[in-house]
Amino acid sequence: MELYDVNEFWKFDLRVGLVKKAEKLKRTKKLIKLEVDFGSEQRTIITGLADQYTPEELEGKKFIFVLNLKPKKLSGVESQGMLIVAESEDGKVYLLPVPDEVPIGTKVW
């Protein structure tokens, strides 16, 4: 395992966001388009979780997102961040919901 200085970690902007809308992208097997509210802004974020979760399981919930990644087009839609999840060695993905009392836009560290 490679080790990093803690200053590398602080470069990432991790925030709590509320998934306002989630929909599976047509013509894809794994992609879900999320419309996420961060309080001061809304962003579109694409996740590759449709093989394990439905859009309904994501909608209306708070999660942690990385916001300061370069945008990336996936299936023609620009993703403006990344959802943080846990993944076991066998490829099972686990959602990490944030408690309701945590305000959207809260910085995570």
Side-chain angles (χ1 to χ4, degrees), residues 6-14 66 68 107:
V6 71
N7 290 324
E8 295 296 309
F9 176 79
W10 295 121
K11 291 179 180 180
F12 292 100
D13 186 6
L14 304 172
V66 182
N68 61 337
K107 187 165 178 58

Side-chain angles (χ1 to χ4, degrees), residues 50-102:
D51 61 333
Q52 297 187 43
Y53 293 97
T54 65
E56 294 77 22
E57 291 175 288
L58 302 171
E59 206 166 278
K61 294 189 175 92
K62 293 178 184 176
F63 299 103
I64 298 169
F65 296 85
V66 182
L67 295 187
N68 61 337
L69 298 175
K70 292 179 182 177
K72 182 174 183 175
K73 278 206 173 178
L74 299 164
S75 196
V77 179
E78 185 176 88
S79 183
Q80 303 164 322
M82 183 174 74
L83 171 65
I84 299 292
V85 297
E87 183 177 7
S88 64
E89 287 187 24
D90 65 357
K92 170 69 176 143
V93 173
Y94 299 91
L95 296 174
L96 304 170
V98 173
D100 287 337
E101 64 268 15
V102 180

Side-chain angles (χ1 to χ4, degrees), residues 9-61:
F9 176 79
W10 295 121
K11 291 179 180 180
F12 292 100
D13 186 6
L14 304 172
R15 301 275 173 169
V16 173
L18 173 66
V19 178
K20 300 293 262 184
K21 184 177 178 186
E23 62 182 309
K24 186 164 181 325
L25 285 179
K26 294 179 175 82
R27 301 182 310 274
T28 70
K29 290 183 180 181
K30 293 179 71 172
L31 299 182
I32 298 175
K33 176 182 169 184
L34 306 176
E35 296 299 332
V36 185
D37 183 3
F38 293 98
S40 62
E41 65 177 314
Q42 300 236 352
R43 290 191 180 202
T44 298
I45 296 177
I46 307 299
T47 69
L49 301 178
D51 61 333
Q52 297 187 43
Y53 293 97
T54 65
E56 294 77 22
E57 291 175 288
L58 302 171
E59 206 166 278
K61 294 189 175 92

